[in-house]
Amino acid sequence: SVMLDVQAACQDATVTQELLKEGFHRDLLVKVELGVAGEDAGGCAVAARTRLPPGIYVDPYELASLQQHNLTKAVLIPDVVDVEAPEYLATDLLVLLYMEPDPRCSRCFRAALPVHGRYHRPAEESEEALVVLKSPEVLVCCCNDRLSAECWKPAEVEAPCSGKNISPCQWYSVTHKPAYEESILQVPVGLRQHSSLVCVVTLLATVLCSSLILAAVCRYGHFS
């Protein structure tokens, strides 16, 4: 009977992850609905921890601007990101995305984060590269010891419960059911058979522009 009561109180959280917009610049929308035990999570912090593969990244300067205006809150690991690196020279990025309560649901939380696709190597056939984004891990942090140890397990997270609270608190990992195990980001790529054409057009454009600049200098320039 005790085991049944614990299982009933420890229902899995439900996680939904969506990639909005098209092309290289997208918005990652994460929504979490805690289980029955989430009724006791009032005043606690909820976050989604997700690992971004090399094909996608977060711009730390854009994130700093959003955080300054209290539009989002996240921690990047590592916090230094090469935004110019192509996919084949980049590394994974770990993101801890703090979530806001959804006023329409007592156990619901949501957050959005701008993400960007990296340039990929030209492909042989397809004009799109696929970047697979796994479902995030759900974390809860309470400094008032209101969480049930039977429902949630301690997690190693080197981040405060919120941006305002710098005191260390214990994060807990929440068992969850992702609506989808993974999301697919489609990034436009060039075709290798077009490389010769691109090189010729680029060379012609460079020669033409250089000739126009040289002609303008010779015509209007003043040489002493």
Side-chain angles (χ1 to χ4, degrees), residues 5 25-27 33 37 45 47 54 63-64 90 105 119 125 132 144 147 152-153 158 160 204 208 221:
D5 292 341
H25 308 289
R26 313 290 287 270
D27 283 336
E33 181 178 356
L63 177 60
C105 172
Y119 290 106
E125 299 178 355
V132 178
N144 52 13
L147 295 182
W152 298 322
K153 298 180 180 179
E158 295 183 4
L204 292 177
L208 176 60

Side-chain angles (χ1 to χ4, degrees), residues 17 23 31 40 68 74 130 167 177 212:
Q17 177 176 257
K31 295 183 285 186
D40 297 328
Q68 186 177 5
L130 302 181
S167 62
K177 299 179 299 184
L212 292 175

Side-chain angles (χ1 to χ4, degrees), residues 61-201:
Y61 304 103
E62 180 182 27
L63 177 60
S65 177
L66 293 173
Q67 294 187 144
Q68 186 177 5
H69 293 87
N70 292 324
L71 296 177
T72 190
K73 172 64 179 175
V75 174
L76 305 182
I77 304 173
D79 56 359
V80 177
V81 180
D82 186 352
V83 299
E84 301 294 338
E87 179 269 341
Y88 48 87
L89 295 179
T91 57
D92 289 358
L93 178 65
L94 192 63
V95 179
L96 183 68
L97 178 61
Y98 292 86
M99 313 193 74
E100 294 291 331
D102 189 334
R104 297 167 297 179
C105 172
S106 62
R107 300 194 304 266
C108 299
F109 300 81
R110 58 185 296 150
L113 180 69
V115 295
H116 307 275
R118 292 189 183 275
Y119 290 106
H120 287 61
R121 294 184 189 274
E124 291 288 352
E125 299 178 355
S126 175
E127 295 184 359
E128 290 182 325
L130 302 181
V131 179
V132 178
L133 187 60
K134 298 292 185 180
S135 179
E137 177 186 9
V138 180
L139 300 172
V140 175
C141 183
C142 297
C143 294
N144 52 13
D145 296 327
R146 296 176 62 185
L147 295 182
S148 171
E150 294 84 3
C151 295
W152 298 322
K153 298 180 180 179
E156 294 184 7
V157 180
E158 295 183 4
C161 273
S162 67
K164 298 179 181 179
N165 181 14
I166 61 175
S167 62
C169 293
Q170 177 63 58
W171 285 92
Y172 288 84
S173 179
V174 180
T175 58
H176 65 281
K177 299 179 299 184
Y180 308 98
E181 290 292 341
E182 57 190 27
S183 300
I184 305 296
L185 171 68
Q186 295 178 322
V187 179
V189 298
L191 295 176
R192 289 183 179 176
Q193 56 263 38
H194 294 167
S195 58
S196 298
L197 177 61
V198 172
C199 290
V200 171
V201 172

